[in-house]
Amino acid sequence: MATREERDKYRSVLEDARQVQWRYGHPPDFNSVNQLFEEGQTKVWPEGSLEETVQNAIKSWEMEFSHKIRIQDFKTINPEKFKLFVNGREGLSAEETLRLGSYNALLKNSLPEEFQYYKPEEESFESSHDAFRSALPRGFAWEILSVYSGPPDIAFKFRHWGYFEGTFKGHAPTGEMVQFLGLGVLKVDESLRVEEIEIYYDPGELFGGLLKGPPISETETTHSGDNTAEKQSCPFTH
């Protein structure tokens, strides 16, 4: 009988997880976000196509940075050369990206403090993931919309989406879909391991949806005396 890690058809690097040290003590389960992806994807790429290969590679890349705790366990990157560049900022090494977490690494910005929707420097790896898991309890799905060039420099367009069904930074959920589009370039080696990744997107697209809900303080008490804020803050399980 197939084990949990062998059933993920989008992340083949989960298949050999015997010696991996996992952040939460076991391989992750992506059944919920896989369902969200399959229900909401706008492109269905042919099996074995460049688009499908890139899409699955980036899903695997994100999985490793979110769930593995040792760089030596990574299969998707060349750790000696890896750099992550977001919106033209200085590149982050593999160790820096792992320490910050993918959310904090992708959401770092140089806006004046009063215009920052989210402050990565005030968040830990755990608090950043908790914030988005709470806000998007079914997960944060990701798809390739277009691939413009093949390896070693793979240029692509992507879409990231989820449903705002839990609280986010004191804002009540709206139940609406939140999403953003972006562009990226992957530089890979002969084994298709990532050496550099550049991502370009507008964080305002994401936060516009997450800050749309009213502050929790405005919805704390209903006429019946129920504590609505308490109900809304309970995270759903994946």
Side-chain angles (χ1 to χ4, degrees):
M1 183 175 178
T3 61
R4 176 176 59 181
E5 61 266 29
E6 291 171 335
R7 292 201 301 266
D8 196 298
K9 57 187 175 183
Y10 305 113
R11 302 167 183 84
S12 62
V13 294
L14 277 168
E15 292 175 2
D16 185 10
R18 289 167 294 183
Q19 304 302 318
V20 172
Q21 290 188 15
W22 295 102
R23 184 171 297 276
Y24 304 107
H26 54 76
D29 184 342
F30 287 96
N31 287 337
S32 177
V33 74
N34 286 349
Q35 181 179 350
L36 177 66
F37 166 73
E38 290 165 3
E39 291 173 350
Q41 65 187 126
T42 61
K43 303 283 188 179
V44 179
W45 300 110
E47 185 175 352
S49 65
L50 177 61
E51 291 84 357
E52 186 209 41
T53 300
V54 174
Q55 184 168 263
N56 291 350
I58 294 178
K59 288 178 187 288
S60 297
W61 173 87
E62 191 283 329
M63 179 278 296
E64 291 195 309
F65 273 106
S66 293
H67 293 276
K68 293 182 177 181
I69 60 176
R70 302 187 306 180
I71 291 295
Q72 61 262 40
D73 289 335
F74 281 45
K75 297 182 178 180
T76 62
I77 69 170
N78 181 330
E80 289 78 25
K81 295 185 176 181
F82 180 86
K83 287 286 185 179
L84 169 65
F85 302 88
V86 181
N87 289 337
R89 294 192 304 274
E90 183 179 352
L92 297 172
S93 68
E95 290 287 356
E96 289 171 322
T97 304
L98 180 61
R99 176 180 57 81
L100 289 170
S102 54
Y103 285 117
N104 286 335
L106 291 169
L107 292 170
K108 286 175 69 68
N109 63 79
S110 56
L111 288 170
E113 186 172 349
E114 62 267 27
F115 297 118
Q116 290 188 21
Y117 318 107
Y118 175 91
K119 299 178 180 179
E121 66 278 2
E122 297 179 3
E123 302 285 346
S124 67
F125 181 107
E126 290 76 15
S127 69
S128 66
H129 280 252
D130 287 346
F132 284 93
R133 273 196 293 261
S134 172
L136 308 170
R138 283 191 274 166
F140 205 9
W142 192 94
E143 71 171 337
I144 282 282
L145 297 178
S146 301
V147 174
Y148 304 113
S149 62
D153 296 309
I154 305 168
F156 58 91
K157 183 178 182 180
F158 67 89
R159 171 178 171 250
H160 223 335
W161 78 98
Y163 286 88
F164 184 22
E165 297 168 327
T167 58
F168 180 78
K169 297 295 183 181
H171 288 263
T174 63
E176 298 177 359
M177 183 175 70
V178 296
Q179 68 173 348
F180 66 90
L181 306 181
L183 299 172
V185 179
L186 281 176
K187 181 178 180 181
V188 298
D189 64 16
E190 63 277 2
S191 301
L192 297 181
R193 296 182 304 165
V194 178
E195 293 184 341
E196 293 182 2
I197 180 168
E198 298 178 52
I199 299 292
Y200 299 92
Y201 76 104
D202 179 4
E205 286 189 76
L206 170 63
F207 289 111
L210 292 175
L211 301 178
K212 192 175 181 179
I216 293 295
S217 59
E218 294 180 8
T219 59
E220 280 183 343
T221 307
T222 66
H223 292 299
S224 63
D226 290 338
N227 190 325
T228 306
E230 183 177 346
K231 292 179 180 178
Q232 290 169 333
S233 65
C234 294
F236 293 78
T237 56
H238 287 281

